[in-house]
Amino acid sequence: MTWEIVIGLEIHTQLSTQSKIFSGASTAFGAEPNTQACAVDIALPGVLPVLNKGAVERAIKFGLAVGAQIASRSVFARKNYFYPDLPKGYQISQFDQPVVGQGALTIQVEPLSGNEKPYEKVVRITRAHLEEDAGKSLHEVFRDFSGKGLTGVDLNRAGTPLLEIVSEPDMRSAAEAVAYAKATHSLVRWIDICDGNMQEGSFRCDANVSVRRMGEEKLGTRREIKNLNSFKFLQQAIEYEAQWQIDTLESGGKIQQATVLFDADKIETRAMRSKEDAHDYRYFPDPDLLPLEILPQWIEEIRRGMHESRESMRKRFIEEYHFEPYMANSLVADRDRAVYFDSFWKHYIPMVVGKEDSAVSGANWAMIEIGAMLNLSGLSITQTPITPEAFAVLVARIVDGTISHKIAKEVFGYMWAGEGSADAIIEAKGLKQVSDVGALEKIIDEVIAANPAQLAEYRAGKEKVFGFFVGLSMKASKGKANPTQLNDILKRKLAP
Amino acid sequence: MPNQSPLHFSLRQLSSALQTKKISSVELTQLYLERIAAYNPTLNAYITTNAEMSLAQARHADARLAKNNSHALPVISNLTGIPIAQKDIFCAKEWRTTCGSKMLENFIAPYDAHVIQQFNEAGAVNLGKTNMDEFAMGSSNETSYFGAVKNPWNHNVVPGGSSGGSAVAVAARLCAAATGTDTGGSIRQPAALCGISGIKPTYGVVSRYGMIAFASSLDQAGPMARSAEDLALMLNTMAGFDERDSTSLQRPPENYLRDIDSPAAGKPLSGLRIGLPQEFFAEGLSDDVAQAVAAAVVEYQKLGATVVNISLPNSKLSIPVYYVIAPAEASSNLSRFDGVRYGYRAKEYSDLTDMYQKSRAQGFGAEVKRRIMIGTYVLSHGYYDAYYVQAQKIRRLIAQDFDNAFKQCDVIMGPSAPGTAFNIGEKSDDPVAMYLQDIYTIAVNLAGLPGMSIPAGFGKNKLPIGLQIIGNYFSEAQMLNVAHRYQQATDWHTRMPPNILNDRGALT
């Protein structure tokens, strides 16, 4: 019997606003408990919510990025339930009228088993809505006088803006779910609406998992795995859950709709509450907030201010710059890097006309070199002291033979230190490669003359000695010799 | 000159006396504090007074009045130095703010409501926090955890509610003026029952920030005072856009005295069309009230107004609609009182759920619990469409009725309440009879319109009767003028309850 796994994800992304969705308190992570909770966040009597425009703007950006309809009118609703980390006794969310409607995301799936090929898939997005986060319960952190564990409540997180992105049940494996989660993660960072920090809880997934017999059209009963905050847990939880459901059904059991938690230590899922004791949240429109009206002009303004999409850039890199798909994929994994190299490339191409073969390896060198330097310095690509244009000149000097890779590395160091442009540094420090055959022959003649014993060894068949002569000649040229020419001349002169 | 006591001064007269140093704010505040000490044990109009804090504000006001026009202190306003009673629904920094509930018996507000802030900036003195029905749920002030309030006209009857404490404080001259809030009639009905004036402005005119929420889409604060002119002065301070309340309306500031202050030649209200809704004069209205309202309308005709008969066909549904929407919102608004962060927490409990249940069961009174249950029910899965959604539809029809009516008339008049004040305890066991107290006022809240009540006579039992005036959106200045011209021609609003001027407080 073969089974089909059906997965839909609800992803909570924390929006990167400075202040909370309905109050002026800061959203910064890691402050002392309850120091970033104002009167509104702790729900003092009489306080009222005021919507943060920045949160709406980010939701609109997301909607545009997934080609969704932005609702001209959406409504905030109250989701009522009691819990100590929910100060008002209700969460302000959106229910039947969300700000972002149906959209879609194209994902690249890397199957988990090595023998399948990567493929592309479109996952439909049902909706995305704005809501506030709850606070955090700190269990067993405090003790009373008798030593009994107490639960504390930290409301710093309460009121943090979230965009909940709900997908259709379009995924058919843990690999697809992970690919979709990763694509979403990369997208929200690409469009600058979320920092994507999963350790700090800025990006969390709930997975709705069901199974059905292959060919069956009706969906099976689903169970929802809550709060998965790493791609690894997402994969493990879905794999475990799907297998558990299959085993249960195959042994004649039935699946009950339920909410389950994933235990990362035991790598298993456990039911938290069943449908029977599910809350009745008594949603109704929040009378403290007017319906959210979004004018087309505002949407257009946001659209104009948005970066080129990742997919468009990826395609352009492959089609215009003839990058290998893997290389294009790697470049667009981070928007700042992609933007930097896009600009680099635009300056670089006209400088290396006619030398396209070595141009690509030059660009590869550039990416590796700057990556290493950024790692070393701890800077991000937006902070690099070398502009894409200046960097393009340096790499072009390798391609046109002015300097070797080795010298280029040296020049790169000087540029990083702010000593000027590549050409100015090469000129000032006399680093231009010596390609003058006469000058090279003279240097080589002197080296050979000074080392008769080694010459004899080489001519007796000890070819390793060739490297000895290369090293000495290069040293004598102060590293400026064109390595290819040096090799050619040496081979000729050393020949018996 | 009779009535030399500042107790009888209008707010403008008081302001003038303060500015010309005929009296200081400290003296005035003392006078009222002494009167409160004398009368409050009987009337129970105030839940909290704090002489030290009130007098500190009075001293500050006197400093402002002394150095008027200097740059060191803010310029004085019409209310600088005037002692105002604040309904205990407004959070006032460092003041105990109970909302009439055991739940908040010991809650000291850490911040000022927008209304309180406006009064503070104007230099008014906060004289104390007035009694009210618990969480503003009631029409008799009997649901207050701090005990019933007595009507100064007759200690056996209720003052109305929920702003009963404020109404009594104004009627018994225990403050110069007071604030109230009106969700279904809570300013107008007690104003009527206590023989004072009160206005509920258009929804959104006064910020709700810091006003403890009962039903957010209906709650609106407004002033309660002895005359329409005083109300206008108070409203000038209370109204205004506040970015902390998303339902606050962004409009240019208004001078609510402008119509009152404009001279009238000949008949002051000539051209005014008064709409009389047939539904307001049907079954359920007492004869006393019907006659008083009719007499008032005759008076208005003398002032130049004409009368149009109108109909508000859906107004009969306003009570059932209100008792779906208001409890629904309240059930959610009151969820924050859970014993976790502030407010009452049960002494003993076994676990979290038990803590919630016991704290709320013990901290809330019967009427509050009744409304939380109704509200929870109407929002529940399977009932929401039948109750809440239907109620919202009818609410729109009710508003539509008013829109149609205002095509035919400028103001609508009718009774504020079906009868005069009833006996304490008379309706406490019959919630529906109590809810019917607001039959003429509730539709106004549902439509978000401004409404006011002014004294218009007395019943056979010598208890006051109120005339309700309903205006179109943002017509407060006009309504206040309509009330003012009546008060120029009549003296109902100057009548005082018996035995409220003892030998100490009577005259300065």
Side-chain angles (χ1 to χ4, degrees):
Chain A
M1 182 82 55
T2 48
W3 294 87
E4 185 175 45
I5 305 168
V6 177
I7 306 153
L9 293 188
E10 290 169 21
I11 298 177
H12 293 86
T13 54
Q14 177 179 328
L15 299 175
S16 57
T17 53
Q18 295 290 303
S19 59
K20 294 186 176 176
I21 185 165
F22 298 117
S23 85
S26 166
T27 53
F29 179 83
E32 284 293 302
N34 298 313
T35 56
Q36 290 186 170
C38 69
V40 174
D41 304 324
I42 62 178
L44 284 182
V47 296
L48 297 168
V50 176
L51 181 58
N52 181 338
K53 195 178 174 190
V56 181
E57 187 184 326
R58 284 163 178 78
I60 294 173
K61 273 184 158 184
F62 177 80
L64 292 173
V66 296
Q69 180 81 33
I70 310 296
S72 56
R73 185 177 189 277
S74 65
V75 171
F76 286 96
R78 293 185 182 177
K79 179 180 181 181
N80 295 282
Y81 65 96
F82 285 99
Y83 203 68
D85 65 17
L86 188 73
K88 295 188 291 294
Y90 57 84
Q91 178 196 27
I92 306 177
S93 181
Q94 294 192 301
F95 185 49
D96 50 4
Q97 298 180 67
V99 61
V100 175
Q102 288 177 11
L105 191 60
T106 304
I107 63 170
Q108 315 291 328
V109 188
E110 306 272 350
L112 297 165
S113 69
N115 39 19
E116 290 173 63
K117 281 203 166 131
Y119 58 95
E120 214 174 72
K121 176 166 183 155
V122 175
V123 175
R124 292 169 301 159
I125 288 166
T126 316
R127 59 182 281 174
H129 65 258
L130 286 164
E131 63 182 25
E132 59 178 341
D133 206 348
K136 207 163 67 179
S137 293
L138 307 165
H139 296 295
E140 302 292 319
V141 171
F142 309 100
R143 314 235 150 242
D144 68 6
F145 296 115
S146 66
K148 203 177 108 196
L150 298 174
T151 296
V153 177
D154 176 7
L155 296 177
N156 283 354
R157 189 181 265 286
T160 298
L162 300 177
L163 184 70
E164 181 174 333
I165 304 160
V166 183
S167 85
E168 290 290 314
D170 282 352
M171 288 147 282
R172 295 292 175 267
S173 65
E176 288 188 1
V178 169
Y180 166 74
K182 281 186 173 169
T184 307
H185 184 252
S186 158
L187 173 66
V188 295
R189 285 183 308 151
W190 184 273
I191 60 176
D192 267 342
I193 65 166
C194 170
D195 68 14
N197 191 322
M198 298 179 84
Q199 280 79 44
E200 293 177 4
S202 301
F203 191 92
R204 294 134 37 203
C205 305
D206 299 342
N208 283 297
V209 180
S210 65
V211 299
R212 60 182 170 191
R213 285 171 208 281
M214 203 56 93
E216 175 74 56
E217 279 192 20
K218 201 168 157 263
L219 288 172
T221 304
R222 69 188 157 88
R223 303 213 308 168
E224 182 180 13
I225 316 167
K226 282 276 180 196
N227 229 354
L228 298 160
N229 65 352
S230 88
F231 298 125
K232 187 175 149 208
F233 293 163
L234 176 66
Q235 181 198 322
Q236 290 175 333
I238 292 172
E239 282 173 345
Y240 176 88
E241 175 64 24
Q243 196 54 52
W244 179 87
Q245 290 187 18
I246 292 167
D247 292 348
T248 303
L249 292 170
E250 286 191 339
S251 58
K254 272 190 140 184
I255 305 296
Q256 303 287 330
Q257 190 175 329
T259 303
V260 304
L261 285 179
F262 176 63
D263 184 329
D265 295 327
K266 294 185 180 149
I267 315 189
E268 63 181 33
T269 52
R270 260 199 318 270
M272 194 162 80
R273 54 172 186 258
S274 72
K275 196 189 174 190
E276 283 70 41
D277 44 47
H279 291 292
D280 178 354
Y281 290 118
R282 307 188 309 278
Y283 281 100
F284 76 107
D286 190 331
D288 287 331
L289 292 160
L290 302 173
L292 171 60
E293 311 242 339
I294 297 173
L295 297 174
Q297 295 92 296
W298 192 30
I299 299 175
E300 272 322 298
E301 201 179 298
I302 292 169
R303 192 197 302 275
R304 278 196 303 274
M306 278 177 74
H307 313 291
E308 181 179 1
S309 81
R310 184 181 46 172
E311 192 47 30
S312 145
M313 222 169 191
R314 196 181 75 91
K315 274 192 186 140
R316 208 156 49 73
F317 285 180
I318 294 169
E319 285 162 16
E320 287 178 24
Y321 302 158
H322 309 290
F323 284 7
E324 292 294 326
Y326 81 89
M327 197 167 141
N329 286 347
S330 132
L331 269 178
V332 299
D334 177 90
R335 186 174 53 81
D336 291 333
R337 253 166 65 95
V339 168
Y340 186 92
F341 279 101
D342 188 31
S343 169
F344 168 85
W345 209 260
K346 279 180 180 139
H347 291 103
Y348 180 64
I349 293 284
M351 296 180 196
V352 294
V353 176
K355 299 185 177 104
E356 278 79 8
D357 289 350
S358 40
V360 172
S361 77
N364 266 326
W365 176 85
M367 281 188 265
I368 292 162
E369 207 54 42
I370 203 158
M373 194 57 119
L374 291 172
N375 276 342
L376 203 67
S377 61
L379 297 179
S380 74
I381 195 139
T382 51
Q383 297 166 307
T384 157
I386 306 178
T387 65
E389 183 177 10
F391 198 30
V393 173
L394 171 64
V395 182
R397 293 297 166 262
I398 305 173
V399 177
D400 68 18
T402 309
I403 51 174
S404 65
H405 281 102
K406 192 166 170 281
I407 294 289
K409 197 172 170 131
E410 201 180 319
V411 176
F412 179 73
Y414 292 127
M415 290 171 74
W416 191 275
E419 293 190 18
S421 72
D423 287 340
I425 291 166
I426 292 166
E427 187 61 41
K429 299 198 186 283
L431 296 174
K432 202 164 185 174
Q433 195 156 253
V434 181
S435 303
D436 175 344
V437 177
L440 277 179
E441 279 189 343
K442 191 165 169 268
I443 290 167
I444 289 165
D445 285 344
E446 280 166 17
V447 169
I448 292 173
N451 296 285
Q454 281 76 5
L455 178 66
E457 276 179 42
Y458 180 81
R459 288 190 172 159
K462 204 172 177 188
E463 289 192 2
K464 263 162 61 182
V465 184
F466 185 76
F468 167 80
F469 283 105
V470 171
L472 277 185
S473 307
M474 190 54 94
K475 196 178 170 189
S477 80
K478 297 195 176 80
K480 293 184 284 185
N482 181 323
T484 318
Q485 281 182 333
L486 183 82
N487 272 8
D488 290 349
I489 297 168
L490 255 179
K491 268 191 186 142
R492 183 157 44 80
K493 298 249 178 205
L494 290 174
Chain B
M1 192 176 151
N3 288 347
Q4 273 290 351
S5 165
L7 293 178
H8 307 297
F9 286 4
S10 73
L11 292 182
R12 274 181 157 168
Q13 287 168 327
L14 265 185
S15 182
S16 152
L18 284 160
Q19 287 178 50
T20 54
K21 316 292 185 296
K22 292 208 175 76
I23 190 169
S24 73
S25 176
V26 168
E27 286 166 340
L28 194 58
T29 305
Q30 283 288 10
L31 169 66
Y32 278 119
L33 287 171
E34 280 167 23
R35 288 186 56 77
I36 293 167
Y39 291 97
N40 202 55
T42 313
L43 297 175
N44 201 21
Y46 286 86
I47 292 173
T48 305
T49 52
N50 186 325
E52 206 180 306
M53 280 162 68
S54 299
L55 289 168
Q57 277 190 307
R59 279 191 294 274
H60 188 69
D62 282 334
R64 268 169 82 162
L65 289 158
K67 295 180 194 164
N68 192 16
N69 301 327
S70 88
H71 291 291
L73 290 161
V75 230
I76 60 155
S77 79
N78 281 331
L79 291 182
T80 306
I82 295 183
I84 304 290
Q86 301 289 354
K87 185 174 181 179
D88 206 18
I89 200 167
F90 295 104
C91 286
K93 198 173 179 179
E94 290 169 37
W95 281 84
R96 181 167 76 136
T97 300
T98 71
C99 219
S101 180
K102 179 183 182 183
M103 187 55 88
L104 292 175
E105 186 178 3
N106 299 307
F107 178 71
I108 309 291
Y111 76 102
D112 281 327
H114 185 254
V115 163
I116 298 288
Q117 209 179 323
Q118 301 279 86
F119 278 110
N120 288 345
E121 281 165 20
V125 173
N126 183 351
L127 199 50
K129 308 294 289 293
T130 59
N131 208 337
M132 55 183 284
D133 279 299
E134 185 178 6
F135 286 103
M137 297 175 188
S139 305
S140 68
N141 225 303
E142 292 166 292
T143 72
S144 169
Y145 172 68
F146 300 91
V149 179
K150 304 241 168 88
N151 192 318
W153 293 91
N154 176 342
H155 293 180
N156 296 319
V157 303
V158 302
S162 67
S163 312
S166 286
V168 170
V170 171
R173 305 323 194 238
L174 301 182
C175 63
T179 56
T181 61
D182 190 317
T183 305
S186 283
I187 286 176
R188 291 160 288 162
Q189 184 256 12
L193 270 46
C194 291
I196 65 156
S197 304
I199 184 166
K200 177 205 95 73
T202 307
Y203 182 81
V205 162
V206 177
S207 167
R208 293 186 297 115
Y209 189 81
M211 184 176 124
I212 300 173
F214 159 17
S216 312
S217 74
L218 301 159
D219 295 344
Q220 182 61 203
M224 302 175 81
R226 298 203 303 267
S227 70
E229 186 196 65
D230 284 2
L231 291 178
L233 214 75
M234 288 279 284
L235 195 52
N236 277 347
T237 293
M238 294 175 76
F241 173 66
D242 175 17
E243 61 182 11
R244 296 169 301 181
D245 174 2
S246 307
T247 61
S248 167
L249 296 159
Q250 204 160 3
R251 309 175 71 244
E254 267 191 67
N255 175 13
Y256 294 101
L257 282 161
R258 65 169 188 265
D259 290 0
I260 290 175
D261 287 345
S262 53
K267 289 188 174 178
L269 296 176
S270 70
L272 182 79
R273 295 169 303 164
I274 297 171
L276 298 178
Q278 60 183 63
E279 294 79 5
F280 281 20
F281 300 92
E283 196 190 343
L285 181 64
S286 75
D287 292 344
D288 283 2
V289 176
Q291 280 160 24
V293 171
V297 171
V298 169
E299 188 63 41
Y300 269 108
Q301 286 170 314
K302 287 185 201 159
L303 294 169
T306 54
V307 170
V308 207
N309 289 315
I310 58 162
S311 175
L312 301 169
N314 292 293
S315 65
K316 61 179 183 293
L317 297 170
S318 59
I319 289 201
V321 166
Y322 177 87
Y323 279 98
V324 170
I325 293 172
E329 294 181 8
S331 70
S332 176
N333 282 335
L334 269 57
S335 292
R336 68 188 57 199
F337 305 106
D338 57 4
V340 174
R341 299 167 315 288
Y342 53 78
Y344 180 80
R345 183 188 292 179
K347 298 286 164 288
E348 287 180 13
Y349 45 87
S350 56
D351 58 18
L352 180 64
T353 307
D354 194 41
M355 192 277 277
Y356 282 144
Q357 288 173 348
K358 288 210 170 85
S359 299
R360 288 168 66 81
Q362 295 164 16
F364 289 137
E367 183 60 29
V368 172
K369 282 187 268 196
R370 175 161 33 236
R371 298 204 196 185
I372 289 175
M373 282 188 280
I374 295 170
T376 304
Y377 179 81
V378 299
L379 290 176
S380 296
H381 187 72
Y383 297 98
Y384 178 78
D385 289 338
Y387 290 102
Y388 187 82
V389 173
Q390 281 300 321
Q392 291 291 9
K393 283 181 188 162
I394 299 168
R395 182 178 184 172
R396 282 191 286 277
L397 294 178
I398 290 169
Q400 190 64 50
D401 280 358
F402 281 108
D403 276 350
N404 294 335
F406 283 119
K407 286 171 189 152
Q408 298 167 258
C409 63
D410 305 306
V411 291
I412 294 169
M413 286 188 191
S416 299
T420 54
F422 47 93
N423 286 332
I424 292 175
E426 185 184 324
K427 296 182 200 285
S428 7
D429 296 331
D430 187 351
V432 175
M434 188 73 87
Y435 297 169
L436 286 168
Q437 272 297 303
D438 297 327
I439 188 153
Y440 307 119
T441 47
I442 275 178
V444 175
N445 300 76
L446 290 169
L449 290 165
M452 68 186 296
S453 179
I454 54 171
F458 291 86
K460 289 186 202 78
N461 53 14
K462 298 192 169 63
L463 290 171
I465 290 169
L467 169 74
Q468 186 177 201
I469 305 172
I470 301 164
N472 210 338
Y473 300 103
F474 309 116
S475 69
E476 289 85 353
Q478 182 194 25
M479 293 162 66
L480 288 162
N481 182 48
V482 167
H484 174 71
R485 300 300 169 181
Y486 177 79
Q487 292 182 339
Q488 296 292 92
T490 60
D491 70 348
W492 302 118
H493 67 292
T494 65
R495 307 286 182 92
M496 274 193 299
N499 308 317
I500 61 152
L501 296 184
N502 68 6
D503 33 280
R504 255 185 77 69
L507 300 164
T508 48

